[in-house]
Amino acid sequence: MEEVEHKTVRVNGINMHIAEMGQGPIVLFLHGFPELWYSWRHQMPFMAAHGYRAVAPDLRGYGDTTGARNGDFTEFTTLHVVGDLVELLNIIAPDQEKVFVVGHDWGAMIAWAMCLYRPDKVKALVNMSVAFVPRNPIIRPIAALRSTYGDDHYIIRFQEPGDIEEEFAQIGTKTVLEKLLTNRNPEPLMLPKGKPFEEGPVILPPWLTEKDVDYYASTYDHTGFTGGLNYYRALDLNWELTAPWTGQKISTVPVKFIVGDLDATYNSAGVEDYIHKGGFKKDVPSLEEVVILKGVAHFLQQEKPHHVNNHIHVFFQGLSSSD
């Protein structure tokens, strides 16, 4: 198997680290929180072996991607991040007008945004965990979340700069990552102030090794969590800036959506009905398939890599011959 190559590419004033493998049509892998390019360690060699060029960046604010000012969350809107990716593709693949995209968690949010802002760049999309969220012109996202879930909800806890970072520092980076990555509770994630996690050791599941956790932990020890948390802090700003796209549907990019039935995102208020009762398909007319993985939680591409790899490959293979 080919080794992963690591490069740094200058895009939009930041230095974007990318990992890549293989040759052929690009598959752009977009990670979430608290993840890194490394979250795609099972997908990259598989797609490379099947004739694709797998490219997984550390997104703005994460890992070995540097140059964004972490102290200013306004530099972390979806417009910034999609802009990074468009420029990245222009530089590393000027001959590929469109690319395949795979997103998970915040990476899925960025992928949906990419399909809104620059659908001309996306050949097809496999998105995981986070369904499309149409812009609600009546209420801001943070106000909506607070009224639904209260002040202990993780996204609300993430809003105040420095607050949750201080708690995470007291707990320890590795423990925080273990708690987050192994969470299988389908209920909304709550992080009560002063005691965000239950005490006690974490028993790692078979799909997450000590080596994996150490890679994440050593990276986050170096970078801190603020870069990733800034995406949450820019939610209301995204809402303001994306007013022109209110009501815009995703209608030109073929989409497959995959989620685990134990994923808290799937079990959030109204989401299951939205996915299965016509709302999702109405907002994403080009949605071709929804896959629910039974007994699988949030980090599905790491927990069930063989299933996820096959779903990605079959979907893209069916579209590879088309423009």
Side-chain angles (χ1 to χ4, degrees), residues 16-19 28-31 36-37 40 55-59 65 85 88:
M16 178 166 272
H17 164 249
I18 63 170
L28 182 65
F29 289 98
L30 307 178
H31 69 80
L36 301 161
W37 77 268
W40 304 109
V55 177
D58 281 335
L59 295 178
T65 290
L85 298 172
L88 174 69

Side-chain angles (χ1 to χ4, degrees), residues 47-305:
M47 294 307 289
H50 286 83
Y52 295 88
R53 181 182 173 191
V55 177
D58 281 335
L59 295 178
R60 169 181 290 245
Y62 284 93
D64 292 325
T65 290
T66 61
R69 293 180 296 182
N70 284 0
D72 184 359
F73 72 83
T74 67
E75 293 190 6
F76 291 81
T77 69
T78 54
L79 290 161
H80 285 90
V81 184
V82 171
D84 296 342
L85 298 172
V86 169
E87 181 64 6
L88 174 69
L89 293 172
N90 288 341
I91 292 169
I92 67 169
D95 58 326
Q96 294 192 34
E97 185 182 344
K98 297 184 177 187
V99 301
F100 295 109
V101 178
V102 180
H104 172 252
D105 186 80
W106 257 107
M109 298 268 285
I110 298 302
W112 293 126
M114 195 169 181
C115 290
L116 284 181
Y117 310 153
R118 293 300 304 271
D120 59 304
K121 302 294 286 186
V122 186
K123 194 168 193 176
L125 169 64
V126 174
N127 242 0
M128 293 182 250
S129 290
V130 180
F132 181 65
V133 181
R135 183 181 184 275
N136 182 343
I138 307 301
I139 186 169
R140 290 169 176 265
I142 298 306
L145 286 164
R146 184 176 271 117
S147 67
T148 304
Y149 299 112
D151 290 338
D152 285 346
H153 188 260
Y154 75 102
I155 294 178
I156 306 303
R157 290 295 327 279
F158 287 173
Q159 290 306 302
E160 185 61 37
D163 189 23
I164 198 75
E165 288 97 325
E166 190 176 315
E167 288 194 36
F168 283 177
Q170 291 172 1
I171 295 165
T173 303
K174 186 172 182 180
T175 300
V176 168
L177 289 164
E178 287 177 339
K179 296 284 188 182
L180 291 172
L181 291 168
T182 61
N183 178 42
R184 300 183 67 77
N185 184 353
E187 297 298 314
L189 178 60
M190 299 294 176
L191 302 176
K193 194 169 181 65
K195 192 182 177 184
F197 302 109
E198 291 184 8
E199 293 178 3
V202 175
I203 299 171
L204 296 181
W207 58 267
L208 189 67
T209 68
E210 197 75 32
K211 177 185 169 191
D212 297 333
V213 175
D214 285 342
Y215 183 85
Y216 286 118
S218 64
T219 304
Y220 276 93
D221 267 335
H222 178 66
T223 64
F225 287 98
T226 301
L229 294 168
N230 281 337
Y231 287 65
Y232 298 92
R233 291 167 185 160
L235 276 168
D236 276 354
L237 181 55
N238 285 332
W239 180 86
E240 293 177 17
L241 295 174
T242 56
W245 287 275
T246 302
Q248 180 72 33
K249 299 180 187 302
I250 294 174
S251 54
T252 61
V253 178
V255 177
K256 176 186 248 184
F257 181 71
I258 312 172
V259 65
D261 67 347
L262 298 180
D263 194 323
T265 61
Y266 181 64
N267 292 280
S268 296
V271 171
E272 190 173 351
D273 281 351
Y274 173 71
I275 288 173
H276 296 292
K277 294 188 175 179
F280 195 13
K281 179 67 175 174
K282 182 182 176 185
D283 292 329
V284 187
S286 56
L287 179 68
E288 296 192 7
E289 189 178 357
V290 171
V291 178
I292 311 297
L293 297 180
K294 300 294 184 186
V296 179
H298 184 64
F299 298 97
L300 66 173
Q301 84 275 36
Q302 299 178 70
E303 183 179 346
K304 291 290 181 184

